[in-house]
Short mmCIF file of all heavy atoms in Angstrom, two decimals:
data_model
loop_
_atom_site.label_atom_id
_atom_site.label_comp_id
_atom_site.label_asym_id
_atom_site.label_seq_id
_atom_site.Cartn_x
_atom_site.Cartn_y
_atom_site.Cartn_z
N MET A 459 28.92 43.55 -53.29
CA MET A 459 29.53 44.38 -52.26
C MET A 459 28.60 44.61 -51.07
O MET A 459 29.06 44.68 -49.93
CB MET A 459 29.94 45.73 -52.85
CG MET A 459 30.98 45.62 -53.96
SD MET A 459 31.35 47.20 -54.73
CE MET A 459 32.17 48.04 -53.40
N LYS A 460 27.27 44.70 -51.34
CA LYS A 460 26.33 45.04 -50.25
C LYS A 460 25.38 43.91 -49.88
O LYS A 460 24.91 43.85 -48.75
CB LYS A 460 25.53 46.28 -50.63
CG LYS A 460 26.34 47.56 -50.61
CD LYS A 460 25.43 48.78 -50.64
CE LYS A 460 26.23 50.06 -50.44
NZ LYS A 460 25.36 51.26 -50.37
N GLY A 461 25.04 43.02 -50.82
CA GLY A 461 24.11 41.94 -50.51
C GLY A 461 23.06 41.78 -51.58
O GLY A 461 23.29 42.04 -52.76
N LEU A 462 21.88 41.33 -51.17
CA LEU A 462 20.75 41.13 -52.08
C LEU A 462 19.76 42.27 -51.85
O LEU A 462 19.15 42.36 -50.79
CB LEU A 462 20.09 39.77 -51.81
CG LEU A 462 19.03 39.32 -52.80
CD1 LEU A 462 19.63 39.11 -54.19
CD2 LEU A 462 18.36 38.03 -52.32
N VAL A 463 19.61 43.13 -52.86
CA VAL A 463 18.78 44.33 -52.73
C VAL A 463 17.39 44.02 -53.28
O VAL A 463 17.25 43.56 -54.42
CB VAL A 463 19.40 45.52 -53.47
CG1 VAL A 463 18.68 46.81 -53.10
CG2 VAL A 463 20.90 45.65 -53.13
N CYS A 464 16.35 44.29 -52.46
CA CYS A 464 14.99 43.86 -52.78
C CYS A 464 14.07 45.07 -53.05
O CYS A 464 14.12 46.05 -52.32
CB CYS A 464 14.41 43.03 -51.63
SG CYS A 464 15.47 41.68 -51.08
N PHE A 465 13.24 44.94 -54.08
CA PHE A 465 12.28 45.97 -54.47
C PHE A 465 10.94 45.30 -54.77
O PHE A 465 10.86 44.08 -54.95
CB PHE A 465 12.74 46.70 -55.74
CG PHE A 465 14.10 47.33 -55.65
CD1 PHE A 465 15.25 46.58 -55.90
CD2 PHE A 465 14.24 48.67 -55.33
CE1 PHE A 465 16.51 47.16 -55.82
CE2 PHE A 465 15.50 49.25 -55.26
CZ PHE A 465 16.63 48.50 -55.51
N ASN A 466 9.88 46.13 -54.85
CA ASN A 466 8.64 45.61 -55.41
C ASN A 466 8.68 45.78 -56.93
O ASN A 466 9.66 46.27 -57.48
CB ASN A 466 7.41 46.28 -54.78
CG ASN A 466 7.33 47.78 -55.08
OD1 ASN A 466 7.99 48.29 -56.00
ND2 ASN A 466 6.54 48.49 -54.30
N ALA A 467 7.60 45.40 -57.60
CA ALA A 467 7.60 45.41 -59.07
C ALA A 467 7.65 46.82 -59.64
O ALA A 467 7.93 46.99 -60.83
CB ALA A 467 6.37 44.67 -59.59
N GLU A 468 7.38 47.83 -58.83
CA GLU A 468 7.46 49.23 -59.28
C GLU A 468 8.79 49.86 -58.92
O GLU A 468 8.95 51.08 -58.97
CB GLU A 468 6.31 50.04 -58.67
CG GLU A 468 4.92 49.58 -59.10
CD GLU A 468 4.75 49.61 -60.60
OE1 GLU A 468 5.20 50.59 -61.23
OE2 GLU A 468 4.17 48.66 -61.16
N CYS A 469 9.75 49.02 -58.52
CA CYS A 469 11.10 49.47 -58.15
C CYS A 469 11.12 50.33 -56.89
O CYS A 469 12.01 51.18 -56.74
CB CYS A 469 11.78 50.20 -59.31
SG CYS A 469 12.28 49.11 -60.66
N ASP A 470 10.14 50.14 -56.02
CA ASP A 470 10.18 50.79 -54.71
C ASP A 470 11.04 49.93 -53.79
O ASP A 470 10.80 48.72 -53.65
CB ASP A 470 8.77 50.95 -54.13
CG ASP A 470 7.89 51.82 -54.99
OD1 ASP A 470 8.38 52.83 -55.50
OD2 ASP A 470 6.69 51.49 -55.17
N TYR A 471 12.01 50.54 -53.13
CA TYR A 471 12.96 49.81 -52.29
C TYR A 471 12.27 49.20 -51.08
O TYR A 471 11.44 49.84 -50.43
CB TYR A 471 14.08 50.76 -51.84
CG TYR A 471 15.05 50.15 -50.85
CD1 TYR A 471 15.92 49.14 -51.24
CD2 TYR A 471 15.10 50.59 -49.53
CE1 TYR A 471 16.82 48.58 -50.34
CE2 TYR A 471 15.99 50.06 -48.62
CZ TYR A 471 16.86 49.05 -49.03
OH TYR A 471 17.74 48.50 -48.14
N ILE A 472 12.61 47.94 -50.78
CA ILE A 472 12.05 47.25 -49.62
C ILE A 472 13.12 47.04 -48.56
O ILE A 472 13.00 47.52 -47.43
CB ILE A 472 11.44 45.89 -50.03
CG1 ILE A 472 10.29 46.10 -51.02
CG2 ILE A 472 10.95 45.14 -48.80
CD1 ILE A 472 9.71 44.80 -51.55
N GLU A 473 14.19 46.33 -48.91
CA GLU A 473 15.25 46.05 -47.94
C GLU A 473 16.47 45.50 -48.66
O GLU A 473 16.42 45.17 -49.85
CB GLU A 473 14.77 45.01 -46.91
CG GLU A 473 14.45 43.65 -47.52
CD GLU A 473 14.07 42.60 -46.50
OE1 GLU A 473 14.48 42.72 -45.33
OE2 GLU A 473 13.36 41.64 -46.86
N THR A 474 17.58 45.40 -47.93
CA THR A 474 18.79 44.76 -48.42
C THR A 474 19.15 43.62 -47.48
O THR A 474 19.26 43.83 -46.27
CB THR A 474 19.96 45.74 -48.51
OG1 THR A 474 19.63 46.79 -49.42
CG2 THR A 474 21.22 45.04 -49.00
N ILE A 475 19.28 42.42 -48.03
CA ILE A 475 19.71 41.27 -47.23
C ILE A 475 21.22 41.38 -47.07
O ILE A 475 21.97 41.21 -48.03
CB ILE A 475 19.33 39.94 -47.90
CG1 ILE A 475 17.85 39.92 -48.28
CG2 ILE A 475 19.69 38.77 -47.01
CD1 ILE A 475 16.90 40.08 -47.13
N THR A 476 21.65 41.71 -45.85
CA THR A 476 23.07 42.01 -45.62
C THR A 476 23.83 40.85 -44.98
O THR A 476 24.93 41.04 -44.47
CB THR A 476 23.19 43.25 -44.73
OG1 THR A 476 22.49 43.03 -43.49
CG2 THR A 476 22.60 44.47 -45.42
N ASP A 477 23.23 39.66 -44.98
CA ASP A 477 23.93 38.48 -44.46
C ASP A 477 25.30 38.40 -45.14
O ASP A 477 25.41 38.46 -46.36
CB ASP A 477 23.11 37.23 -44.78
CG ASP A 477 23.66 35.97 -44.12
OD1 ASP A 477 24.89 35.75 -44.21
OD2 ASP A 477 22.88 35.22 -43.54
N PRO A 478 26.40 38.26 -44.36
CA PRO A 478 27.73 38.23 -44.98
C PRO A 478 27.93 37.09 -45.97
O PRO A 478 28.82 37.15 -46.82
CB PRO A 478 28.68 38.08 -43.77
CG PRO A 478 27.81 37.61 -42.64
CD PRO A 478 26.46 38.17 -42.89
N ASP A 479 27.10 36.05 -45.87
CA ASP A 479 27.19 34.95 -46.84
C ASP A 479 26.47 35.26 -48.14
O ASP A 479 26.56 34.47 -49.09
CB ASP A 479 26.59 33.67 -46.23
CG ASP A 479 27.41 33.12 -45.07
OD1 ASP A 479 28.62 33.41 -45.04
OD2 ASP A 479 26.85 32.43 -44.21
#
Side-chain angles (χ1 to χ4, degrees):
M459 299 175 68
K460 289 194 173 184
L462 189 64
V463 191
C464 309
F465 303 84
N466 64 18
E468 298 302 318
C469 288
D470 298 320
Y471 174 69
I472 298 175
E473 63 176 335
T474 299
I475 308 300
T476 57
D477 188 313
D479 292 335

